[in-house]
Amino acid sequence: VQEVRGKVVDSAAGLPDAGVIELSRLHRAAIGRSRSELTTPALILNLDVARRNIAHMAQHMSTTPAKLRPHVKLHKSPQIAHMQMDAGAIGVSTATVWEAVVMARAGIENILIANQVVGREKIRVLAEAAHATLITVAVDDAHNLDDLSAAATATGSKIGVLIEIDVGMGRSGARTDDEARRLATHAGRLPGLQLLGVMGYEGHCMLEPDRELRVIKAHAAMEYLLHVVDTLAAVGFEPQVVSAGGTGTYDITGRNPRVTELQAGSYVFMDAFHGNLVPDFGVALTVAATVLSRHDRLIVLDVGRKAIGTDLMMPRPAGFAGELVFLNEEHSGFDVDAACPLGVGDLVELLPGYGPTTVNLYEAYHVVSDDTVVDIWPIAARGYGALAAL
Ligand SMILES: Cc1ncc(COP(=O)(O)O)c(C=O)c1O
């Protein structure tokens, strides 16, 4: 429990007590130690770099009409969300209702669940959480709107709604402007809901490594989204919120004068995948590993797939030269130069290929400043998030 921005934040709320106490004992023993003396695998958050990333994004967003609503699915941490709010974010985006509840309990106001919430229990939790703070959810189905309206009416709360539009990603979202108009008309008539706008996440553009092509694709996606916004006028609906964007398009979608909110999240930590796309931010997240075995040019580390995410891109060495040879459940192997001095017991760090699925494997961050562990922050909404929210 700690005080953040004048509010008491119990970011470990709901976690099993005994486990938390034992784990935090292990973690807390690291406070004051050098980052090269950790019990591994350990997730290292470089606070100095994260602060610079937050400041860089805040500075950029101060020059754009759109406001920042950072996605917290990457960090799942109330402490980092509060740092982003302090730097001018208007609220946060989440992937799940559980993440939204964890953030709301930690005092974050104005939350967008940038995803569908489906299923009786999750909708009930959403409706109840919407008493305390404005919670908005993305919707692309009329029956889902009915269910949200019924739950909000039953609990006496109001749920914000964005009509999600598929802008080319082919995931969720209304496929035609006619479908969007029908959904908006329906949402506007239902009690318990507040129809606020549209969302169109251009996720297919985030994977485009060629900057010029990414710009073209992102512009096309927003052009389509704004065309749908224009056609909504025919049913008397003028969206106040037009929400889109991620780290790969932060300075493309984020500069569109008609986009009101940017959902970028990965910029805070970065990873090998996002570093290739957007070199403007520094790497704030690494995984510490110990050399378990060395034979000739092969070093074997105690970090495998259970300790580092492998989506989109494989992990890379950070601060030593080597080529990944294998990544097993509990081990990774790197081919290093014959002259490389690393031996059994030495600590190294790895740069995750993808941040969100790496963070999700850990209970806590080792928060490092000036190469020293200064704090331990729980990954409060880890897993799929329900444990901490219930
Ligand atoms: C709906 C939505 N918005 C925003 C983001 C954030 O993107 P990034 O992590 O690239 O900043 C994601 C990422 O998957 C997403 O699914």
Side-chain angles (χ1 to χ4, degrees), residues 308-339:
I308 197 156
T310 56
D311 307 63
L312 300 176
M313 204 168 264
M314 283 293 164
R316 289 186 185 160
F320 73 99
E323 285 294 319
L324 182 71
V325 183
F326 60 80
L327 187 66
N328 297 345
E329 194 179 329
E330 305 282 359
H331 304 85
S332 49
F334 285 84
D335 178 36
V336 296
D337 194 88

Side-chain angles (χ1 to χ4, degrees), residues 198-263:
V198 297
M199 164 177 146
Y201 176 62
E202 72 285 23
H204 57 300
C205 306
M206 306 299 157
L207 303 177
E208 177 51 67
D210 182 312
R211 164 89 190 174
E212 269 175 44
L213 272 180
R214 192 155 79 246
V215 170
I216 292 168
K217 285 185 178 176
H219 282 324
M222 288 309 107
E223 210 170 291
Y224 176 66
L225 181 63
L226 294 165
H227 152 79
V228 175
V229 167
D230 291 337
T231 69
L232 289 171
V235 290
F237 173 47
E238 268 186 54
Q240 297 163 43
V241 176
V242 177
S243 188
T247 299
T249 61
Y250 86 100
D251 59 345
I252 311 166
T253 298
R255 285 192 201 281
N256 189 310
R258 296 182 66 198
V259 169
T260 66
E261 298 185 0
L262 183 80
Q263 300 176 6

Side-chain angles (χ1 to χ4, degrees), residues 71 73 114 171 199 201 206 245-248 263-267 274 354:
H71 211 304
K73 76 185 167 65
R171 191 166 67 182
M199 164 177 146
Y201 176 62
M206 306 299 157
T247 299
Q263 300 176 6
S266 291
Y267 75 93
H274 285 91
Y354 191 60

Side-chain angles (χ1 to χ4, degrees), residues 97-98 100-102 104-105 111 113 117 119-135 147-160 192-193 389-390:
V97 67
W98 313 118
V101 168
V102 169
R105 269 193 207 151
I111 296 165
I113 305 171
V117 174
R120 194 159 16 130
E121 196 54 26
K122 289 196 275 190
I123 290 177
R124 184 189 62 74
V125 168
L126 166 57
E128 279 171 13
H131 274 296
T133 183
L134 172 61
I135 303 192
D147 292 344
L148 291 165
S149 166
T153 310
T155 57
S157 63
K158 231 176 180 64
I159 298 173
L193 303 183
L390 288 173

Side-chain angles (χ1 to χ4, degrees), residues 79-92:
Q79 280 88 348
I80 299 163
H82 278 289
M83 283 165 62
Q84 294 172 309
M85 296 293 286
D86 287 345
I90 56 167
V92 297

